[in-house]
Amino acid sequence: MKKQRVLTAILLTITLLPIILINYFFEIAMFFFVMKALHEMRTVFLIKNKKNKKTNFIYYLLFLAIFLLGNFFIRIPRNLIILLILVSFTICFFHLFTNNRDLRNSELYFFIITGFYLVLGASSLIYLKNKGILLIIFSLLLTSTNDIFAYLIGKKIGKKPFFSFISPNKTLEGAFAGLLISTVLSYIFASTTGVFNTIYFVDSSPILLILICLFGNLFSQMGDLIASKTKRMYEVKDFGKFFPGHGGTLDRFDAILMLSQFIVLVFLIFS
């Protein structure tokens, strides 16, 4: 399982490169990702709420419309995007720590979490792609290295639980190792490519770039925890079986949905 998980992550990263590099392939891939991830989340929701199955078609149409609107993200007023992302962070933070089991039966709560976490995250990725391919490569590098090293080191030496009420298999040692190693590797990539040089003072302040990489990793881990909390709320192990060793589409790309929102926020505020 461990080798399969790492191999899948490496092969997937390599496969994504041509999708990122060829014009319009990324937007098409994001469209299918949102629809597949939405289907996975909706399926998990319906496990506990079978009576709501009749609303499926309405949800798919609604979220498709929201996602297509997200393609015009860059034309939305800056302050409105900042507000949406801050609201998203607040809602997702609440989702992590709430113990209200009645919320898992709420269509409105499902709609809000899916809209801000999945659709806003995917729209943020398209926004970053329009600003430069290197930002997408940076995001994939950061989330992949964080995930791989947190998993490997956590399995090897991890003893202290990390958010055990959400995911019993996560360890503090693994989370810290993934955070540290990924921060170093993403900093090397960012400083070498100059991917954040349009942000004020980044080119003259290594500390600021380190902080961006560090907090990027924290939001990456937050994205992973949100997915884990959602699965725990609906009492399932994975969102699907699309990727060997990882689970469904959302299991593999959960972290990048929060990271992308953080990076967009950084650009909107500081550039």
Side-chain angles (χ1 to χ4, degrees):
M1 176 64 74
K2 181 164 66 174
K3 291 182 179 179
Q4 186 182 50
R5 181 183 177 93
V6 175
L7 182 61
T8 299
I10 295 172
L11 291 177
L12 185 59
T13 301
I14 295 173
T15 304
L16 285 172
L17 288 176
I19 294 176
I20 297 170
L21 295 173
I22 300 175
N23 284 340
Y24 302 112
F25 270 39
F26 185 77
E27 287 78 3
I28 294 171
M30 289 305 301
F31 166 79
F32 284 106
F33 163 71
V34 168
M35 291 296 102
K36 181 68 170 63
L38 174 59
H39 176 71
E40 291 174 353
M41 290 191 73
R42 190 66 181 163
T43 300
V44 166
F45 175 78
L46 290 173
I47 289 175
K48 297 295 179 183
N49 302 275
K50 292 183 174 61
K51 64 180 180 180
N52 295 311
K53 192 171 183 178
K54 61 184 179 181
T55 61
N56 270 1
F57 183 69
I58 297 174
Y59 266 89
Y60 293 142
L61 281 181
L62 184 58
F63 279 111
L64 175 60
I66 294 173
F67 174 68
L68 292 176
L69 182 62
N71 280 275
F72 299 96
F73 210 37
I74 198 167
R75 300 181 184 178
I76 299 175
R78 172 185 294 230
N79 289 341
L80 179 57
I81 299 177
I82 291 173
L83 177 61
L84 286 173
I85 292 175
L86 292 177
V87 171
S88 176
F89 289 167
T90 303
I91 290 171
C92 290
F93 190 79
F94 169 81
H95 182 60
L96 281 180
F97 293 99
T98 182
N99 292 316
N100 189 344
R101 295 179 65 83
D102 292 336
L103 288 174
R104 73 181 184 180
N105 302 317
S106 170
E107 287 270 11
L108 178 61
Y109 187 72
F110 172 81
F111 177 85
I112 291 172
I113 290 297
T114 307
F116 280 99
Y117 174 54
L118 172 59
V119 180
L120 187 59
S123 298
S124 296
L125 282 169
I126 293 176
Y127 180 95
L128 294 179
K129 169 63 164 53
N130 290 332
K131 289 192 72 68
I133 293 171
L134 287 176
L135 283 169
I136 301 298
I137 297 176
F138 170 84
S139 300
L140 289 171
L141 172 69
L142 186 151
T143 53
S144 296
T145 53
N146 193 317
D147 178 67
I148 290 172
F149 287 106
Y151 179 80
L152 291 177
I153 295 177
K155 282 289 186 181
K156 190 74 174 178
I157 63 171
K159 293 181 180 179
K160 296 180 181 179
F162 180 70
F163 281 89
S164 58
F165 64 95
I166 293 177
S167 181
N169 295 324
K170 295 187 186 300
T171 65
L172 184 61
E173 293 87 350
F176 181 76
L179 177 72
L180 179 62
I181 296 173
S182 182
T183 296
V184 171
L185 293 177
S186 56
Y187 170 77
I188 293 172
F189 177 86
S191 60
T192 302
T193 60
V195 67
F196 290 106
N197 278 0
T198 57
I199 294 176
Y200 296 133
F201 308 119
V202 161
D203 54 345
S204 60
S205 175
I207 299 298
L208 183 56
L209 186 55
I210 291 172
L211 288 175
I212 291 173
C213 295
L214 175 63
F215 278 95
N217 272 281
L218 289 173
F219 276 97
S220 173
Q221 292 187 352
M222 181 181 177
D224 178 66
L225 287 169
I226 290 167
S228 296
K229 175 59 182 291
T230 304
K231 289 183 287 186
R232 193 166 185 83
M233 176 180 284
Y234 295 107
E235 300 176 3
V236 296
K237 184 178 183 296
D238 293 314
F239 283 109
K241 299 180 180 179
F242 196 74
F243 294 112
H246 288 270
T249 307
L250 199 54
D251 292 295
R252 177 78 286 271
F253 293 104
D254 48 13
I256 204 169
L257 293 173
M258 291 305 294
L259 171 64
S260 61
Q261 294 184 51
F262 168 71
I263 297 176
V264 169
L265 187 64
V266 168
F267 271 101
L268 291 176
I269 294 176
F270 297 107
S271 66

